Amino acid sequence: METLHLTEGAPPVTWELPDEIAQALADSGIVEIAPAGHGQWRVAAGRKIGVARVREVQLAITPKVRIDRLVFMMGYAQAPDFWRDHTVAVDVEQDLPEALAEAFGRLATRALEQGLLHGYREVEETLPVMRGRIRVGDQISRRYGRNLPLEVRYDEFSADIPENRLLLAATVQLLRMGVSATARRRLQRLRLQLADVTLPPRGTGMPAWRPSRLNVRYQPALHLAELVLAGQSFEHRTGDLQVSGFLFDMWRIYEDFVGVAMREALGAFGGESSLQHRLHLDEARTVAMRPDFVWTRGGVPALVADMKYKAEKPTGFPNADLYQLLAYCTVMGLREGHLIYAQGAEDPAIHDIAGADVQIHAHALDLDQPPKALVEQVEGLAMRLVRGVVGLAKHHETPTTT
């Protein structure tokens, strides 16, 4: 299989591709692709990272953010209490799926060294003998007064518990991705160890688990398993060709990380932080809007921000981000709004909106930082923004690159 390596934000790579494969990739929307003549195509990464394949061609799309920092951002957005104090070693030279497979295989193997974790789970069955408790309602509605069989409910001590199901689901997901032979062998061993565990049905979401003293040895692997399952299994068919892959949206990773880090930082100030806040542009409530982050005090919006991994500049609307924030500020009656870009997407600036008495501040976050510094950067920005709101600072600060 031929592998085309692309890097997010890098110039297009010219590659020879059959027309039908190029068309399938174009239809999938995974990459930006244009003809270069003589069977050559210019291919550039789009908004997704990960691995995709069509027939004998594989695309490996690498983020411009280092893999270890990307994994931290993904994890912190899901479980900040855990990831604030833990790091997961990943190979920064590998593509994302391979790095996840290697790290997960290592952590899951360590978790299972002492054997599978067991726990009690509630089981409902129809049995010819009594076990546990009779489900009276089901017995009456299904058996119409007959004594046997019995509709029962009982607690079973089993390895088929959410923690093991989560590990199995992540193992199967990674095996579908076409990882290296070394990673595949380790994952296959894990699958055998989990042979008595039920794979969660598709579409049912992740198995729910809670940290406890009983599953401490599992927790690093469980948190990484959640990241694996947060990826999108992608399938798209064009004619007889199927494009499949395992992909992540960089804009969503960035948006989720910054939003959660802002929420954590502002917890000390009281109020309430809302991610993907729901409101409407019009009085009839027919035009929905979803600001990425809103902080309210006493139920009244006091701070609004949108996270932008890249500046949105659709054709004909080169300043779409500004229009969007102005709409949020207008509806919520705020005099300030904030755009939080990844550094390099847009320069820090203050925009005084003519005739609206609204200021829109553009800030930039440097993602090329170790995990601790990355969180501190967002926390520092959050503090500066909220102090202006609560009156701890009398003058607006000029946005700086943080």
Side-chain angles (χ1 to χ4, degrees):
M1 179 175 290
E2 293 184 272
T3 300
L4 172 59
H5 294 275
L6 301 174
T7 301
E8 178 200 12
V13 175
T14 301
W15 220 38
E16 185 174 350
L17 289 170
D19 289 352
E20 63 271 21
I21 290 181
Q23 186 61 53
L25 290 173
D27 292 344
S28 73
I30 295 173
V31 293
E32 298 173 1
I33 187 168
H38 307 290
Q40 303 278 317
W41 297 82
R42 286 188 292 272
V43 188
R47 293 164 60 91
K48 297 181 181 292
I49 57 171
V51 170
R53 59 182 61 86
V54 52
R55 201 181 284 169
E56 70 277 6
V57 175
Q58 175 169 285
L59 300 177
I61 308 169
T62 304
K64 58 185 178 184
V65 180
R66 275 179 42 145
I67 292 293
D68 54 343
R69 288 159 195 176
L70 178 69
V71 170
F72 171 78
M73 290 169 61
M74 293 164 60
Y76 190 89
Q78 290 195 18
D81 290 340
F82 176 85
W83 287 88
R84 186 182 291 110
D85 302 317
H86 294 78
T87 57
V88 173
V90 295
D91 189 341
V92 298
E93 300 301 323
Q94 294 175 331
D95 59 49
L96 180 58
E98 184 69 24
L100 287 174
E102 192 279 329
F104 173 77
R106 185 179 66 251
L107 292 176
T109 298
R110 187 180 306 160
L112 300 183
E113 283 177 348
Q114 300 175 38
L116 293 184
L117 188 67
H118 284 62
Y120 286 98
R121 67 186 187 98
E122 188 174 77
V123 178
E124 293 186 353
E125 278 189 326
T126 302
L127 297 176
V129 296
M130 180 64 185
R131 184 177 183 183
R133 303 170 301 280
I134 295 177
R135 303 188 332 263
V136 176
D138 290 338
Q139 186 72 28
I140 294 173
S141 63
R142 297 179 184 180
R143 304 304 162 197
Y144 306 105
R146 286 183 294 165
N147 292 329
L148 292 174
L150 297 172
E151 302 295 332
V152 300
R153 178 185 295 115
Y154 60 90
D155 292 330
E156 181 180 55
F157 191 66
S158 166
D160 197 10
I161 58 176
E163 288 91 337
N164 290 325
R165 290 181 179 182
L166 185 59
L167 294 185
L168 178 60
T171 300
V172 172
Q173 177 75 289
L174 289 166
L175 283 169
R176 290 174 179 153
M177 288 164 26
V179 295
S180 68
T182 301
R184 176 170 288 274
R185 282 194 294 272
R186 176 174 273 175
L187 292 170
Q188 291 284 20
R189 286 196 295 271
L190 288 171
R191 191 169 187 178
L192 287 175
Q193 287 178 275
L194 295 163
D196 294 332
V197 179
T198 303
L199 184 66
R202 285 195 175 190
T204 58
M206 296 186 199
W209 67 281
R210 290 183 179 180
S212 72
R213 61 179 179 80
L214 298 177
N215 60 25
V216 167
R217 63 184 168 98
Y218 267 51
Q219 288 178 23
L222 291 172
H223 285 293
L224 198 57
E226 290 177 329
L227 300 193
V228 171
L229 297 176
Q232 301 169 349
S233 293
F234 180 91
E235 291 185 358
H236 177 86
R237 183 170 292 278
T238 298
D240 295 332
L241 290 180
Q242 177 173 290
V243 182
S244 61
F246 182 71
L247 303 161
F248 294 84
D249 290 310
M250 266 308 304
W251 63 269
R252 187 178 297 280
I253 294 171
Y254 174 77
E255 180 182 293
D256 290 347
F257 166 71
V258 178
V260 170
M262 291 271 289
R263 183 189 67 197
E264 294 292 300
L266 298 184
F269 288 88
E272 184 177 347
S273 297
S274 174
L275 306 183
Q276 295 300 310
H277 189 78
R278 295 177 180 273
L279 71 158
H280 293 82
L281 180 65
D282 59 331
E283 293 288 354
R285 300 175 65 84
T286 60
V287 182
M289 297 194 299
R290 297 285 293 273
D292 292 336
F293 184 87
V294 173
W295 184 65
T296 58
R297 300 175 67 204
V300 178
L303 172 65
V304 61
D306 244 20
M307 294 47 155
K308 301 292 184 183
Y309 184 65
K310 292 182 179 180
E312 297 291 341
K313 297 183 178 181
T315 304
F317 296 92
N319 300 302
D321 295 343
L322 295 176
Y323 304 149
Q324 189 177 28
L325 254 292
L326 177 58
Y328 296 160
C329 290
T330 301
V331 170
M332 289 185 277
L334 297 175
R335 297 181 62 184
E336 290 187 349
H338 300 273
L339 290 164
I340 305 176
Y341 291 101
Q343 191 174 54
E346 201 77 359
D347 293 328
I350 295 177
H351 302 277
D352 290 296
I353 307 302
D357 193 25
V358 172
Q359 275 190 343
I360 296 178
H361 301 249
H363 310 268
L365 294 177
D366 181 7
L367 302 184
D368 191 21
Q369 298 288 329
K372 183 179 178 181
L374 200 55
V375 172
E376 289 175 347
Q377 199 179 177
V378 180
E379 289 175 343
L381 174 60
M383 295 298 179
R384 291 199 301 276
L385 300 189
V386 79
R387 281 172 181 155
V389 172
V390 300
L392 298 179
K394 295 182 179 178
H395 303 287
H396 295 299
E397 295 180 356
T398 301
T400 56
T401 301
T402 50

